[in-house]
Amino acid sequence: MARVPENPEDPGPARSESEYEVIGGGVIDDRFPRHDGTAGSEHRLNHQPGIAGILGAAVREAWVDCRMSLQSWWFWLACASALILAWAMATAVVAFGDANGWFESSLPSATYILMAGFMAVVSALLGAVWGFRQTVRTFLGVLFAGMFRGAAFAVPSGILLLIVGMAVGGPIALAGAGVVVVVLEIVLFGLIGAGARACSGRTAAGVALAAALVAFLCLGNVAATIALIPGTAVMDQASVPINVERDDAGRITAYECVGQLRPVEVAHTEWVAWLAASNPILLFGSIAAETLPKEHELTWVLSGLQWAADGPSRDVPCIGGESSDQLAPPVPVAVTGLVIQAAVAALVLLPGRWLSSRRLTSARSVGPQTPGQA
């Protein structure tokens, strides 16, 4: 405690500043209060970054990383190559289908539809690569970086789809659905790529994990679904449908059931259809099917997964004696696919962040060794 002189008027050595010390060691701020009635130190201690501050920091972090990509010609070369690849794959499929008599309607319109679908696939590939290579480390930063890059790729994709759609007379709404799916796939697969990178300290192991996940979501899930479909055929009980209503494609949409149950063989495709829902092109198809004319050959192809996910009651009604109004409303395949992709991203991103923090903590605890410690 500082000595206080007996006579405050004494100008002698007792009044020298060396005899006084700051009480509280800087913890107590006895300066003039702030306008809000709190002292400066108290305001600094109580002030914590809010949601707006956290989001702002994540946006800035993501934009700094994304701006480096936008300034690189490699980024735009990858975008151009992806668009060319989508067009080439669509053209090859249409040419093969035409040679086998698959199409009766306009071949250019079929190319337009398939090109939009393949754009979803190449967007997933680009998103995984960009997410793996980016320098952003926070979750929100990775999310916003994916949004920025997805928007950057969606601009030329949307322009190209609009030009092709107007040229072939295809549904313009399909271009809008394609742009939405492009952004979503780049964001979600970007999270998957970033999570795979964080899961391992070795780049090769991270690449292998990311490649395996992307290969399954873009191809393996469809192969697994096709392999499992024969196992869904079982004997079930059904009654007689009456007052049957059908849509423009001839599929049953509403009915009532009467009579006794009888054994029938049905395929419960809803047991395995959810596996294929995470495929980017099928996810796009489930969204874009409503934009296509009913008479187009690809309409039933794009909407086929939704019917498979709805179960056998759409083709073989009155299973278990249940009328159509007793069935649960169908879950859109697009929602299921996005949920599965988000779940996969969470399964690699959350453990990846934990493992990355452990590696960082371990590296700090070891620290640099002195020559005497070596």
Side-chain angles (χ1 to χ4, degrees), residues 1-370:
M1 179 176 178
R3 183 179 67 83
V4 179
E6 296 179 357
N7 184 9
E9 302 296 332
D10 183 10
R15 294 294 293 170
S16 63
E17 293 184 0
S18 61
E19 303 236 6
Y20 289 87
E21 58 181 318
V22 179
I23 301 175
V27 175
I28 300 176
D29 191 350
D30 55 356
R31 294 175 299 176
F32 291 101
R34 299 173 56 92
H35 294 295
D36 57 3
T38 61
S41 298
E42 181 182 353
H43 178 79
R44 289 193 300 269
L45 290 174
N46 293 335
H47 179 69
Q48 297 294 335
I51 296 178
I54 295 174
L55 291 177
V59 169
R60 289 190 296 270
E61 180 188 23
W63 174 245
V64 169
D65 181 74
C66 185
R67 185 176 58 185
M68 297 175 59
S69 298
L70 298 180
Q71 295 173 346
S72 171
W73 66 273
W74 283 104
F75 176 84
W76 297 109
L77 178 61
C79 293
S81 301
L83 294 178
I84 294 173
L85 179 61
W87 171 81
M89 290 189 295
T91 302
V93 171
V94 170
F96 180 80
D98 183 47
N100 290 273
W102 292 356
F103 299 104
E104 295 180 1
S105 57
S106 172
L107 295 183
S109 66
T111 304
Y112 165 60
I113 296 169
L114 289 177
M115 183 176 66
F118 283 121
M119 278 185 181
V121 178
V122 298
S123 298
L125 298 177
L126 287 178
V129 172
W130 290 338
F132 189 89
R133 293 174 57 87
Q134 66 188 4
T135 59
V136 180
R137 289 295 175 259
T138 63
F139 169 75
L140 289 177
V142 173
L143 185 66
F144 285 125
M147 291 181 181
F148 293 153
R149 289 189 174 92
F153 181 65
V155 171
S157 300
I159 294 174
L160 179 60
L161 287 176
L162 284 175
I163 293 174
V164 176
M166 290 187 293
V168 304
I172 302 301
L174 186 74
V179 168
V180 171
V181 174
V182 161
V183 176
L184 290 175
E185 294 303 271
I186 288 179
V187 170
L188 291 173
F189 278 82
L191 294 174
I192 293 174
R197 173 69 177 271
C199 280
S200 176
R202 298 181 179 180
T203 303
V207 169
L209 177 58
L213 293 174
V214 172
F216 176 78
L217 292 175
C218 293
L219 184 61
N221 49 9
V222 175
T225 302
I226 295 174
L228 293 173
I229 281 180
T232 63
V234 297
M235 295 301 297
D236 214 325
Q237 300 292 317
S239 56
V240 179
I242 61 173
N243 299 329
V244 177
E245 299 179 9
R246 299 178 182 271
D247 59 12
D248 296 338
R251 290 174 172 172
I252 300 173
T253 58
Y255 53 86
E256 298 178 8
C257 301
V258 297
Q260 299 294 323
L261 298 178
R262 67 186 190 282
V264 292
E265 184 178 5
V266 296
H268 282 277
T269 52
E270 75 276 13
W271 295 347
V272 298
W274 62 271
L275 278 173
S278 57
N279 184 276
I281 191 171
L282 295 180
L283 188 149
F284 162 78
S286 64
I287 295 177
E290 299 297 327
T291 67
L292 301 181
K294 300 296 183 182
E295 63 276 7
H296 201 285
E297 292 92 341
L298 291 177
T299 302
W300 71 269
V301 175
L302 297 182
S303 60
L305 184 61
Q306 182 65 60
W307 282 88
D310 293 343
S313 59
R314 299 299 181 184
D315 294 319
V316 183
C318 292
I319 295 177
E322 292 184 335
S323 302
S324 58
D325 57 358
Q326 297 175 308
L327 299 176
V331 178
V333 170
V335 174
T336 304
L338 292 174
V339 169
I340 294 175
Q341 291 180 1
V344 173
L347 287 176
V348 292
L349 190 61
L350 295 179
R353 289 179 58 82
W354 179 74
L355 291 172
S356 179
S357 63
R358 286 201 61 182
R359 289 194 300 269
L360 182 60
T361 303
S362 177
R364 288 176 176 175
S365 63
V366 173
Q369 291 185 347
T370 62

